[in-house]
Amino acid sequence: MPSIRTEILANGLPLHRMALEGTRATTILVAFDAGARTERPEENGMAHFLEHLVFKGGEKYDDYRKVNETAERMGGSLNAYTSHDLVAFHITVRAEATMEALDLLTDFVGRPLLDQEELDKERGVVIQEIARYADQPSAVAEELIDKAAFGDHPLGRTVLGPEEHLKTFSRDGIIAFRERQWAGSRGGAFIVGNVSHLEDGAATNELLERFPTLDAPGPFEPAPAFTPQVLVTERDSNQSHLRMIYRPDVDVTDVKQRAALTIYSTLLGGSMGSRLFDEIREQRGLCYSVYSVDHAFADVPILQLGAGLESGKCAEAFTRMKEIVAELHADGPREEEVERARAYAAGRRVLAFENTNAVARTAANQAIVFGEDIDPDQIVERFDAVTFDAVADIARRVDPTTLAIACVGPHSADEFAA
């Protein structure tokens, strides 16, 4: 069982120390409730752009070379991510380098220079990143399905934002976004793994208090009512990328319902033994890739299905995928497949939690998005405790007639009409 200690620092930032036995690694992760869904319309792409910019240096490590070379000298893996939910920065090192890694991360993330010249250079880099995604049909399909499910709501916009926005972002605007959203009370610092080299008290707290004390931001825009669309980006190709989103009638604040939704998603299309994989890929040979995945935002759940396949087989695969969801809704799952999916989902989580970075990322989502306990053992136990009846109930809560649809390939929207 992990040993977890939590305290609130002077700047409002919660500090979670999570000691895990049997590892020589330590992950330090700092995250804020400042993802893409917190952006105003004209700011779309700013959260991700800011993530890039802080790596250009802080007060002590004052250029990108010092940041990168310092991380490499301690053998560290340094990275960051921006989602609709969060922005997070993390470094994983051997335990002996914990304090040095904390000094590095809190310097360039907690007090970034945000140099104008570096901003202008990085602007071009992110525009190239946007162009790269536009060249990848599967990435376009992912962006398209969000729009089909959420429209012009922030959850329907891309994390990267449009190129025209990147061209307009000013240093003052970026600083204003950071000061509005990066409040300690809406974030968290997570130090996970072998914490034997983490200094208690003043030394650790002083480094994390490099993050300024900021007022908590206002609430994000609630998720809209589900008014799904069918969106198609036509491309002259022999491959299609299909995406479908359902919105289950699930209370995302109920950890038991979320766990049951994950088991349902697993038996539907989350493993090689799942219904989608077995029938769409193995029995019918309609595609190489087919899956389902669930995700819970702070106020709304989604169930996403996807497939990459030969364009001539898209219509048959789409029809059969819808039918499988409808069959589960009408007839429910089998006890054997629930048992297998529960074991698989729990086992995958146990294996993931062998990695200190995965534990830290999960803890950040639990604490910041949902305000829940971060004990990884409890997360596994929730999967183990999911009952057949709970999964059958989830199947009934997925309306098979109401779904958002997106496709990239040689198709038109009327091919996906009900």
Side-chain angles (χ1 to χ4, degrees):
M1 245 186 109
S3 171
I4 302 172
R5 292 171 49 198
T6 297
E7 64 178 297
I8 307 299
L9 304 181
N11 55 4
L13 184 71
L15 167 58
H16 308 273
R17 296 176 175 90
M18 187 184 300
L20 303 177
E21 295 182 359
T23 180
R24 297 178 63 184
T26 305
T27 292
I28 302 165
L29 184 148
V30 180
F32 295 96
D33 177 16
R37 80 171 298 179
T38 68
E39 298 166 336
R40 296 165 181 163
E42 69 277 8
E43 294 173 336
N44 183 213
M46 189 173 284
H48 172 257
F49 189 38
L50 175 57
E51 174 216 309
H52 275 241
L53 290 176
V54 301
F55 279 85
K56 300 304 180 180
E59 292 182 13
K60 180 176 179 180
Y61 305 95
D62 57 4
D63 67 56
Y64 69 92
R65 288 191 184 91
K66 291 179 182 177
V67 171
N68 296 335
E69 291 173 1
T70 300
E72 291 173 7
R73 275 196 299 272
M74 66 180 81
S77 175
L78 176 65
N79 215 326
Y81 60 90
T82 303
S83 65
H84 282 96
D85 301 297
L86 301 172
V87 61
F89 304 85
H90 52 93
I91 184 168
T92 300
V93 294
R94 59 192 300 176
E96 293 84 350
T98 297
M99 293 305 295
E100 185 181 1
L102 188 62
D103 177 47
L104 172 65
L105 193 72
T106 58
D107 179 60
F108 75 86
V109 182
R111 47 189 193 187
L113 296 179
L114 302 178
D115 178 76
Q116 182 66 53
E117 183 178 348
E118 293 293 346
L119 186 154
D120 292 333
K121 286 192 293 186
E122 197 65 19
R123 193 194 311 273
V125 171
V126 177
I127 288 173
Q128 291 178 59
E129 185 179 3
I130 293 169
R132 185 191 70 174
Y133 274 84
D135 285 341
Q136 299 174 10
S138 61
V140 174
E142 290 295 324
E143 294 179 348
L144 205 61
I145 191 60
D146 288 344
K147 185 175 181 181
F150 292 103
D152 194 41
H153 183 274
L155 292 176
R157 302 176 195 144
T158 69
V159 171
L160 296 182
E163 178 180 340
E164 55 268 26
H165 281 192
L166 268 293
K167 293 177 179 178
T168 66
F169 292 155
S170 67
R171 183 176 185 274
D172 288 346
I174 290 165
I175 291 173
F177 175 82
R178 179 176 178 270
E179 292 179 347
R180 189 181 81 228
Q181 292 299 143
W182 283 32
S185 61
R186 295 291 292 275
F190 304 82
I191 304 178
V192 177
N194 184 332
V195 298
S196 61
H197 293 268
L198 179 66
E199 296 182 18
D200 283 335
T204 294
N205 293 3
E206 183 178 346
L207 292 175
L208 285 162
E209 286 166 5
R210 288 170 170 173
F211 289 92
T213 302
L214 300 171
D215 293 334
F220 50 69
E221 182 180 345
F226 194 36
T227 54
Q229 305 175 64
V230 178
L231 299 178
V232 173
T233 294
E234 294 189 40
R235 292 199 177 184
D236 185 15
S237 66
N238 62 5
Q239 291 289 309
S240 298
H241 295 268
L242 173 67
R243 302 290 185 269
M244 303 149 65
I245 279 184
Y246 298 85
R247 188 182 291 187
D249 180 19
V250 168
D251 179 3
V252 294
T253 67
D254 185 330
V255 295
K256 293 181 179 179
Q257 288 192 33
R258 292 208 316 269
L261 176 60
T262 296
I263 306 307
Y264 168 86
S265 175
T266 301
L267 70 86
L268 173 63
S271 72
M272 289 190 291
S274 66
R275 290 198 180 193
L276 291 178
F277 193 93
D278 182 71
E279 181 166 343
I280 304 299
R281 187 188 191 280
E282 298 293 351
Q283 293 185 39
R284 295 175 179 255
L286 295 176
C287 63
Y288 174 75
S289 171
V290 64
Y291 68 88
S292 68
V293 63
D294 62 290
H295 180 74
F297 296 103
D299 56 349
V300 66
I302 62 169
L303 173 70
Q304 179 171 316
L305 282 61
L309 68 174
E310 183 183 329
S311 298
K313 298 178 178 179
C314 188
E316 181 183 354
F318 169 67
T319 299
R320 187 62 194 129
M321 289 164 74
K322 284 202 307 178
E323 289 173 349
I324 290 171
V325 173
E327 289 164 5
L328 278 166
H329 175 80
D331 304 328
R334 301 183 301 273
E335 289 199 25
E336 175 275 330
E337 64 183 337
V338 170
E339 182 180 346
R340 178 161 37 86
R342 182 177 58 233
Y344 184 75
R348 288 287 298 269
R349 192 56 61 95
V350 168
L351 295 178
F353 285 166
E354 292 294 302
N355 183 306
T356 58
N357 187 277
V359 175
R361 290 173 71 133
T362 301
N365 194 70
Q366 292 289 118
I368 299 172
V369 177
F370 295 109
E372 294 173 355
D373 192 284
I374 63 173
D375 186 342
D377 288 347
Q378 288 192 9
I379 295 170
V380 175
E381 289 168 3
R382 287 175 195 145
F383 285 153
D384 287 336
V386 171
T387 65
F388 171 81
D389 289 342
V391 180
D393 183 55
I394 293 294
R396 291 189 292 268
R397 291 172 179 266
V398 179
D399 181 354
T401 65
T402 307
L403 68 157
I405 303 161
C407 191
V408 177
H411 306 283
S412 60
D414 57 12
E415 295 178 42
F416 301 95

